[in-house]
Amino acid sequence: MDDNRIIKTEYSEVMRKSYVDYAMSVIIARALPDVRDGLKPVQRRTLYDMYELGIRYDRPYRKSARIVGDTMGKYHPHGDSSIYEALVVMSQDFKKGLPLIDGHGNFGNIEGDGAAAMRYTEARLERITQEAFLADLDKDVVDFIPNFDETEREPSILPVKIPNLLVNGSEGIAVGMATSIPPHNLAEVIDAAKAYMLDEHITTRELMRYIKGPDFPTGGIVINEDELLQIYETGTGKIKLRGKVEIEKGKGGKTNLVITEIPYTMIGANIGKFLMDVASLAETKKTQDIVDITNQSSKEGIRIVIELRKDADVENFKNMLYKKTRLEDTFGVNMLAICDGRPETMGLKQIIQESVKFQYEVTARKYKNLLEKELDRKEIQEGLIKACNVIDLIIEILRGSKDRTMAKTCLVEGKTEGIKFKSKESKVMAAQLRFSEKQANAILDMRLYKLIGLEIEALINEHEETMANIYRYEDILARRDAMAQVIINELDAIKDRYRQRRRTQITNAGEAVYVEKKIEEMDIVFLMDRFGYARTIDMPTYERNKEAADAENRYAFVCKNTGKVCLFTNTGQLHSIKAVDLPFGKFRDKGVPVDNVSNYDSSKETIVYAASQSDLNLYRVIFATKQAMLKVVDGGEFDVAKRTVAATKLQENDEVVSVVAYKEQRNIILQSKAGYFLRFAIEEIPEKKKGAIGVRGMRLGDSDEIEAVYYSQNAVEQTISYGNKELELNKIKLGKRDGKGVKVRQN
């Protein structure tokens, strides 16, 4: 290969340039809407393709698959799923304040069920989409650009007549940036645009007289009205949303809490999560007010009914829902859009300003083109009127000419050579004719019936109408206030036909204050089986089933229902579980895995000891590790707020073998893997902090390690099975800490 054809460059520079090119491609051509029409490229192309296919609001629906396939083949070569998803979202009235597509079939629902496959559904344009988004495409009001393979042409922007970016909002994730614009009320946005056109120095605060705030299709309540001005001025901020809750009388004197509107952020799978969260509040005993919960939502709207006990504090319960569930949520606003080819975060006024500026540009192009057409029509009309006045002469020219070119030359330039005239006067008059090219062609194409008196009269009337149009169009193009009036009239017509009542309430509301009812403290019993499933039962149930409970469970001990259970693991971690987070019920209930209610991970660690926090506070705790490191720690050190803390410090490759509360034990017996036993007094183990490693309890041989730890009391017999024989622990020679111990054979 010729060395001159090899381009040497810094690899990092190539990567940087390629990444920037990719990022800009995603930002400009995929993820972000244009401030002028409020549409992303995939939305714009889908709507234009439907317009091209003639799928109008007053014509039959067409299969979505046809629309998607045509859009992908002609304009958007990025996969059918993105096109169909865009089509579906533009038809969903619970996501868009102003749906642009009329869907027929299963287009999903507010509870998160997806749309049917595109081969089953049908669609057509909504009437407003035709009238306000696509109406003037045939008047050359926007630039058309080549498509991806330069076989078709597509509009670079749609001539949208309303500030659609505000009306429908937008959400999209690009590279390194994201947009999140809430939807607004159509009538309010149009009023704000008109106010800006009448006074371009209007402030954001004054614009907010018209646009009160977002208007979500799901309704709900915006509760931070005072913060909206700052959000609309900067283009960023957080809108606090609440669902709408009504109180109804239930059966038997009970109260029903009915949720009729939800926060916009809850649509989809979050409705199901909300129901689970409410059920969880009852299961975990956070509240005992819930009798039943049912989702009665339908096509008519949201209706979630929570049946409460007779004596329930309804207001407190409502506040608990706001605090503990997504019935109160936050909508993050970041009004980012493409402006002049660049991504820009804009405030309310700038978005309206750019939209109005675009309206002036589109309207100027529209009336300039209309004026040109009317001037052409005027020229032809004047030529035809003039021709009607000398029609006998023109007929004489046509009859005397050998071909069309000869006749046309005579009409345009007055050349009479080769034409046979009846008289010299006719020839002289013909030489004086000076029609334009367009007029001459119109005369030559004119049909005889046009010479009828009524047709001539209609032509004169048409000419008068054309002159009136020319005068009107010239006035609109010459005077900005005249053009503004045209735009305002169009906005008023759209507002009158498509206005909707405001659905979202805007107010200021204080933070929900929820007073958690104090649980009456009592003793309960914690049970955990060998599979790690835990639960709690009351004391009488435990007393009745004590023998079975102790035999079937790895841990069974008394704790407070207001307290915590501590799990010590072989990795030296301490995991805490609130007793109220564990299911409380019958003796034969299965319980839940402790992994689900704590940070404990059964795939990475093993529980070596469990105890109640209140118990640990009364005692000290003895730790023993595989490398024979020992220490005693005050149990109060483990009374911490965090769910997980380090219970001890471990050396490399070491792990905890035994943890136990130091109560009546007197001696500790360490058993190594090699069969050495060392018994000595627990008093020899020093008390340390939980962050200490401890001291060596036994000298181990190479590759030997502690396998088991036993505890005994003086003068109390205790026997263990070791190998094939029984071993009495108190008969093992009493030694000193850090000794080697005695070798015990297994048979």
Side-chain angles (χ1 to χ4, degrees):
M1 186 183 284
D2 185 0
D3 285 347
N4 293 330
R5 291 177 61 192
I6 298 174
I7 301 169
K8 294 183 178 179
T9 183
E10 178 64 35
Y11 187 69
S12 61
E13 183 63 26
V14 173
M15 290 294 291
R16 189 192 68 81
K17 185 178 183 305
S18 299
Y19 186 76
V20 169
D21 289 347
Y22 162 72
M24 287 307 293
S25 169
V26 172
I27 290 165
I28 304 296
R30 201 178 300 182
L32 300 186
D34 194 294
V35 68
R36 295 170 292 175
D37 65 2
L39 297 171
K40 298 178 190 177
V42 65
Q43 297 170 324
R44 187 179 304 122
R45 288 164 175 168
T46 303
L47 294 177
Y48 177 66
D49 185 75
M50 293 177 75
Y51 169 81
E52 282 284 280
L53 290 173
I55 313 173
R56 313 296 165 87
Y57 78 94
D58 52 356
R59 294 186 188 174
Y61 294 94
R62 296 279 286 277
K63 282 288 184 187
S64 300
R66 171 67 201 277
I67 299 165
V68 171
D70 205 62
T71 304
M72 185 167 61
K74 286 183 179 177
Y75 310 117
H76 197 75
H78 296 294
D80 56 0
S81 59
S82 63
I83 300 169
Y84 186 50
E85 188 180 336
L87 186 150
V88 167
V89 170
M90 285 192 286
S91 73
Q92 292 176 327
D93 58 3
F94 53 86
K95 280 191 180 175
K96 294 291 179 187
L98 192 69
L100 304 179
I101 289 174
D102 178 8
H104 184 238
N106 177 11
F107 274 80
N109 61 31
I110 196 169
E111 294 185 34
D113 297 324
M118 68 179 91
R119 62 183 177 273
Y120 300 119
T121 60
E122 298 176 326
R124 64 184 176 189
L125 291 170
E126 286 278 8
R127 184 171 181 177
I128 188 169
T129 315
Q130 277 178 228
E131 294 182 359
F133 284 65
L134 302 159
D136 294 327
L137 271 176
D138 57 344
K139 296 183 177 67
D140 189 32
V141 292
V142 293
D143 293 332
F144 276 71
I145 56 175
N147 70 335
F148 63 91
D149 61 0
E150 300 191 357
T151 57
E152 303 276 346
R153 294 183 70 75
E154 61 175 312
S156 59
I157 201 83
L158 291 187
V160 180
K161 296 178 180 179
I162 57 174
N164 180 52
L165 188 65
L166 288 173
V167 174
N168 267 331
S170 187
E171 287 186 21
I173 299 170
V175 178
M177 57 184 70
T179 185
S180 180
I181 304 170
H184 294 78
N185 186 272
L186 173 67
E188 292 180 8
V189 171
I190 286 175
D191 287 342
K194 285 162 54 184
Y196 172 79
M197 291 173 72
L198 297 172
D199 178 13
E200 293 188 355
H201 299 293
I202 193 169
T203 64
T204 303
R205 186 185 291 276
E206 288 167 337
L207 282 172
M208 287 182 66
R209 291 178 191 166
Y210 307 97
I211 299 177
K212 310 294 182 191
D215 188 24
F216 296 101
T218 54
I221 306 165
V222 171
I223 61 167
N224 59 334
E225 185 179 9
D226 288 346
E227 295 174 26
L228 292 181
L229 177 61
Q230 177 73 11
I231 292 169
Y232 281 139
E233 281 185 336
T234 61
T236 59
K238 290 180 179 178
I239 293 171
K240 291 180 182 174
L241 277 169
R242 275 184 189 169
K244 190 175 181 183
V245 181
E246 295 176 358
I247 297 167
E248 296 178 0
K249 285 186 178 178
K251 294 176 183 176
K254 293 174 185 171
T255 304
N256 287 349
L257 212 66
V258 183
I259 297 158
T260 56
E261 294 175 8
I262 57 172
Y264 186 64
T265 50
M266 200 197 278
I267 57 177
N270 286 323
I271 294 179
K273 187 178 184 307
F274 169 74
L275 295 170
M276 289 174 63
D277 287 345
V278 175
S280 177
L281 291 173
E283 286 171 9
T284 56
K285 306 296 179 186
K286 291 270 172 39
T287 178
Q288 295 181 347
D289 292 338
I290 300 172
V291 175
D292 192 20
I293 176 168
T294 54
N295 186 3
Q296 301 174 9
S297 304
S298 64
K299 287 182 179 178
E300 279 66 50
I302 292 291
R303 182 176 168 83
I304 298 170
V305 181
I306 303 172
E307 190 178 344
L308 302 180
R309 290 189 325 181
K310 286 183 184 179
D311 59 344
D313 184 341
V314 178
E315 199 60 36
N316 193 53
F317 180 80
K318 187 163 65 168
N319 285 341
M320 181 182 69
L321 291 182
Y322 290 145
K323 294 287 276 186
K324 303 279 186 183
T325 73
R326 295 191 74 165
L327 193 60
E328 179 176 317
D329 209 355
T330 300
F331 182 95
V333 177
N334 186 27
M335 300 205 285
L336 181 73
I338 304 299
C339 180
D340 295 329
R342 298 193 322 273
E344 191 173 337
T345 301
M346 291 173 279
L348 179 68
K349 182 180 176 181
Q350 191 180 352
I351 291 174
I352 291 175
Q353 180 182 332
E354 291 297 329
S355 177
V356 169
K357 177 183 165 187
F358 178 58
Q359 289 310 310
Y360 277 117
E361 290 171 4
V362 167
T363 307
R365 279 182 69 160
K366 175 183 174 181
Y367 283 99
K368 186 180 176 185
N369 290 325
L370 288 174
L371 178 61
E372 286 175 3
K373 286 179 181 177
E374 290 296 324
L375 289 171
D376 287 346
R377 196 175 285 125
K378 168 182 174 260
E379 183 182 339
I380 290 166
Q381 288 166 349
E382 288 176 347
L384 291 175
I385 291 168
K386 182 180 172 185
C388 286
N389 293 332
V390 289
I391 194 65
D392 294 335
L393 176 62
I394 288 171
I395 291 170
E396 200 173 327
I397 293 168
L398 295 176
R399 291 182 68 182
S401 299
K402 291 177 182 177
D403 54 29
R404 182 186 173 104
T405 306
M406 184 180 284
K408 185 179 175 183
T409 305
C410 179
L411 292 173
V412 175
E413 301 174 17
K415 291 182 180 179
T416 56
E417 290 81 6
I419 301 174
K420 292 177 183 179
F421 289 95
K422 290 180 180 179
S423 63
K424 287 183 179 180
E425 289 83 0
S426 297
K427 189 172 183 179
V428 171
M429 288 175 67
Q432 295 171 359
L433 293 175
R434 289 294 184 273
F435 288 100
S436 69
E437 285 267 346
K438 290 177 183 175
Q439 289 173 337
N441 284 329
I443 292 165
L444 293 170
D445 293 339
M446 186 174 66
R447 296 182 179 182
L448 285 174
Y449 79 88
K450 289 286 185 183
L451 300 175
I452 298 169
L454 288 175
E455 287 294 328
I456 294 170
E457 191 178 326
L459 180 62
I460 292 167
N461 291 337
E462 196 179 310
H463 179 252
E464 288 175 358
E465 188 181 323
T466 300
M467 292 304 295
N469 284 341
I470 289 170
Y471 174 76
R472 179 166 162 263
Y473 297 161
E474 285 178 340
D475 183 55
I476 289 169
L477 291 167
R479 294 192 302 118
R480 189 174 176 86
D481 58 341
M483 188 179 289
Q485 193 57 52
V486 169
I487 297 169
I488 287 172
N489 290 343
E490 286 187 338
L491 289 173
D492 281 337
I494 293 168
K495 175 185 167 184
D496 291 343
R497 175 166 282 176
Y498 301 106
R499 71 185 307 157
Q500 295 172 322
R501 64 173 183 82
R502 167 169 274 282
R503 286 165 286 198
T504 301
Q505 185 182 336
I506 310 292
T507 185
N508 281 311
E511 189 174 345
V513 178
Y514 161 58
V515 180
E516 198 161 347
K517 290 182 181 176
K518 289 186 177 179
I519 302 169
E520 187 180 338
E521 190 174 87
M522 66 175 186
D523 286 338
I524 56 175
V525 178
F526 170 81
L527 302 175
M528 188 178 87
D529 63 23
R530 66 182 188 280
F531 301 109
Y533 281 77
R535 65 197 188 282
T536 57
I537 57 175
D538 58 32
M539 285 296 291
T541 303
Y542 175 69
E543 295 295 342
R544 287 195 304 272
N545 302 275
K546 188 175 189 311
E547 191 174 329
D550 292 345
E552 294 171 11
N553 290 285
R554 185 178 170 194
Y555 295 104
F557 53 78
V558 177
C559 63
K560 297 290 184 186
N561 61 339
T562 55
K564 290 186 287 188
V565 173
C566 297
L567 306 178
F568 294 87
T569 72
N570 63 324
T571 59
Q573 298 295 306
L574 165 66
H575 301 294
S576 298
I577 305 172
K578 286 184 179 178
V580 292
D581 290 342
L582 291 163
F584 178 81
K586 299 174 184 176
F587 178 65
R588 288 297 170 192
D589 287 351
K590 189 177 181 183
V592 296
V594 287
D595 305 53
N596 295 0
V597 288
S598 70
N599 293 333
Y600 170 69
D601 186 348
S602 57
S603 65
K604 296 178 181 176
E605 51 189 338
T606 306
I607 296 169
V608 295
Y609 184 61
S612 74
Q613 180 66 66
S614 53
D615 221 19
L616 289 177
N617 286 341
L618 301 174
Y619 300 101
R620 291 180 294 164
V621 180
I622 307 170
F623 283 83
T625 76
K626 194 164 67 173
Q627 295 178 8
M629 302 306 293
L630 305 176
K631 67 175 179 180
V632 174
V633 181
D634 186 337
E637 284 201 41
F638 304 112
D639 192 354
V640 292
K642 287 185 178 180
R643 293 182 72 191
T644 300
V645 294
T648 186
K649 189 176 181 181
L650 293 172
Q651 297 180 122
E652 192 176 350
N653 298 323
D654 199 4
E655 63 181 68
V656 178
V657 175
S658 169
V659 179
V660 68
Y662 184 11
K663 297 180 180 178
E664 297 173 350
Q665 308 95 317
R666 289 291 174 264
N667 299 320
I668 183 171
I669 300 98
L670 302 178
Q671 176 209 323
S672 80
K673 206 170 186 179
Y676 286 91
F677 283 76
L678 177 63
R679 180 168 77 99
F680 59 90
I682 294 173
E683 293 170 355
E684 293 189 44
I685 305 172
E687 187 170 325
K688 301 273 187 182
K689 293 291 183 184
K690 71 174 189 285
I693 292 174
V695 296
R696 190 169 65 179
M698 183 178 185
R699 277 185 289 125
L700 298 169
D702 293 342
S703 72
D704 198 6
E705 60 186 39
I706 299 297
E707 189 173 60
V709 181
Y710 306 101
Y711 297 91
S712 66
Q713 298 178 37
N714 291 334
V716 177
E717 283 189 17
Q718 189 176 347
T719 305
I720 63 165
S721 294
Y722 181 65
N724 297 324
K725 66 179 185 179
E726 298 293 308
L727 180 64
E728 282 189 32
L729 295 178
N730 278 347
K731 287 191 176 178
I732 296 171
K733 182 183 176 184
L734 189 66
K736 293 287 186 182
R737 180 181 65 78
D738 203 23
K740 189 176 180 183
V742 294
K743 178 84 172 178
V744 177
R745 298 192 182 278
Q746 294 189 16
N747 49 31

